[in-house]
Amino acid sequence: RNIRSGWNNIFSVFHIAAADQDQAIVELAFQTTASIFDQYFSVIGDSFQDAVKCLSEFACNAAFPDTSMEAIRFIRRCANYVAEHPEQFAGDDNNQEAIWVKGWFPVLFELSCIINR
């Protein structure tokens, strides 16, 4: 649960699995990613950008449109989280720029990647 530096590695592995063409691999990786989002989203912390990037890769896998649409829903959920919990991204000094850099930029950048692929 509280594996701060480990989240990056987990999302990197699932990012690779998301691009696979084997349905079983993609489905298992997405189910696990969804489970992480459901249970541990609030403790992901500094790995937020890696988490959104992972979802983006699932969304870009045209071989599995249902998974793709579900990944986009999770990205929308990430955007809602940034909007509802900006303090998670602002840091101790309530830095408004950090909210954009750590919260909104990853969401908007990955959405643009999905659109442009």
Side-chain angles (χ1 to χ4, degrees), residues 2 6 16 33-34 53-55 60 66-67 82 89 108 111 117:
N2 196 9
I16 293 167
T33 302
K53 183 178 179 183
C54 174
L55 291 172
C60 289
D66 291 341
T67 302
V82 174
F89 303 93
L108 297 173
L111 286 173
R117 256 203 206 173

Side-chain angles (χ1 to χ4, degrees), residues 87-99:
E87 70 280 358
Q88 297 289 330
F89 303 93
D92 295 334
D93 58 351
N94 200 21
N95 183 347
Q96 296 299 306
E97 186 176 313
I99 297 169

Side-chain angles (χ1 to χ4, degrees), residues 23-90:
Q23 183 174 3
I25 291 173
V26 174
E27 284 184 10
L28 182 59
F30 186 75
Q31 288 171 359
T32 307
T33 302
S35 178
I36 290 169
F37 270 81
D38 290 338
Q39 296 176 26
Y40 304 111
F41 189 72
S42 63
V43 297
I44 289 173
D46 291 337
S47 300
F48 180 78
Q49 182 173 355
D50 292 314
V52 177
K53 183 178 179 183
C54 174
L55 291 172
S56 173
E57 194 62 35
F58 281 110
C60 289
N61 192 335
F64 308 105
D66 291 341
T67 302
S68 177
M69 292 306 294
E70 191 64 28
I72 292 169
R73 282 197 247 342
F74 271 98
I75 293 173
R76 185 177 73 193
R77 194 166 138 191
C78 290
N80 287 337
Y81 187 81
V82 174
E84 294 168 3
H85 302 283
E87 70 280 358
Q88 297 289 330
F89 303 93

